[in-house]
Amino acid sequence: MGEHIQITSGDGIEIGAYVARPSGPAKGGILVIQEIFGVNGHIREVTDGYAQSGYLAIAPKIFDRIDKDIELGYEEADMGQGIELAFQKLNMAQTLSDLQAAIDELRREQDRIGLVGYCFGGLLTWLSACDLQGVDAAVSYYGGGVVNHAEKQANCPVMMHFGELDAHIPMTDVEKIRSAQPNVQLFSYDADHGFNCDHRASFNQVAANQALERSLEFFAEHLVR
């Protein structure tokens, strides 16, 4: 369904992106923000899914700053490599600038833009909702590290999804976020970290379906005119 394009960031550097288009007129734009595993098969499937739901969807390859077209799996070695890429090799300010460029690319065609991100992308979704321009709604899935930025204020409506069995994000952290952000629609599920990804052992069909249904309703409310 999709195609690969290049997006020019604010400093003139080009990064790749995977784009999926709906079969008819788009309801709006959705920026899909990757996990620590790159824009791999799963993220492309997520992007295709939002296109099938009627949105123009783009997944920027934020690891292109390090090396082109990095795609990782979900084994232990991949996990270690992904953590190093995301938290040691990426420059956060530069990454947010690249995400702004992707938002701007979507805005060339769509008036209203939503963000959805997973894991590391869940954190980036929250930071983007607070610090970037042109975001109309944002959905964060199990965003590791969001609790460290819970004092920030979003410039758009935000929804968050967490797994109650997630050892990486304890429910004490989720409650801190809930307390600091009473306007955020926050949901938790009887599921582990990565419950949305059907390529992982932690996939939970019930939680994934419920979170997606809520996310699509949320985007329809805030993006569709």
Side-chain angles (χ1 to χ4, degrees):
M1 173 181 287
E3 62 178 328
H4 295 270
I5 65 168
Q6 296 293 310
I7 295 172
T8 303
S9 195
D11 60 359
I13 298 296
E14 286 192 341
I15 65 168
Y18 178 76
V19 180
R21 295 179 176 277
S23 58
K27 301 174 182 178
I30 299 287
L31 185 71
V32 179
I33 308 181
Q34 65 177 64
E35 304 165 306
I36 61 171
F37 308 104
V39 179
N40 59 9
H42 170 61
I43 293 299
R44 291 194 296 273
E45 289 165 8
V46 169
T47 307
D48 289 342
Y50 276 100
Q52 290 165 4
S53 293
Y55 295 93
L56 172 61
I58 294 181
K61 302 177 182 182
I62 57 176
F63 284 169
D64 273 10
R65 286 280 180 176
I66 302 166
D67 197 9
K68 295 295 185 183
D69 298 323
I70 292 175
E71 294 187 31
L72 304 177
Y74 298 96
E75 302 301 322
E76 186 174 349
D78 296 296
M79 181 79 70
Q81 185 180 353
I83 290 172
E84 180 182 10
L85 289 166
F87 295 103
Q88 298 179 29
K89 293 189 174 182
L90 278 186
N91 177 286
M92 184 62 76
Q94 197 172 61
T95 298
L96 289 171
S97 178
D98 292 341
L99 292 174
Q100 183 67 66
I103 292 166
D104 295 343
E105 181 72 20
L106 270 175
R107 281 209 170 269
R108 298 179 197 277
E109 297 188 46
Q110 298 299 317
D111 292 332
R112 300 188 68 79
I113 307 300
L115 307 185
V116 61
Y118 305 83
C119 184
F120 178 55
L123 168 62
L124 293 176
T125 294
W126 172 243
L127 296 178
S128 297
C130 296
D131 296 336
L132 301 188
Q133 303 298 312
V135 181
D136 297 294
V139 176
S140 168
Y141 279 73
Y142 31 85
V146 169
V147 69
N148 299 323
H149 303 274
E151 81 289 346
K152 297 178 75 70
Q153 294 300 314
N155 296 314
C156 67
V158 175
M159 175 179 285
M160 294 185 182
H161 304 292
F162 292 100
E164 295 164 3
L165 309 180
D166 189 340
H168 303 286
I169 309 171
M171 287 304 293
T172 52
D173 284 357
V174 174
E175 291 308 317
K176 289 177 183 177
I177 297 167
R178 192 192 303 274
S179 177
Q181 298 294 332
N183 293 326
V184 168
Q185 294 187 48
L186 194 155
F187 299 97
S188 66
Y189 305 83
D190 183 21
D192 203 344
H193 189 84
F195 67 77
N196 184 71
C197 179
D198 59 3
H199 294 231
R200 303 175 72 167
S202 58
F203 174 62
N204 184 303
Q205 184 76 69
V206 173
N209 287 350
Q210 191 172 23
L212 178 59
E213 181 180 358
R214 286 168 168 163
S215 299
L216 288 172
E217 288 177 354
F218 182 75
F219 284 137
E221 177 184 356
H222 296 291
L223 303 184
V224 180
R225 293 291 183 265

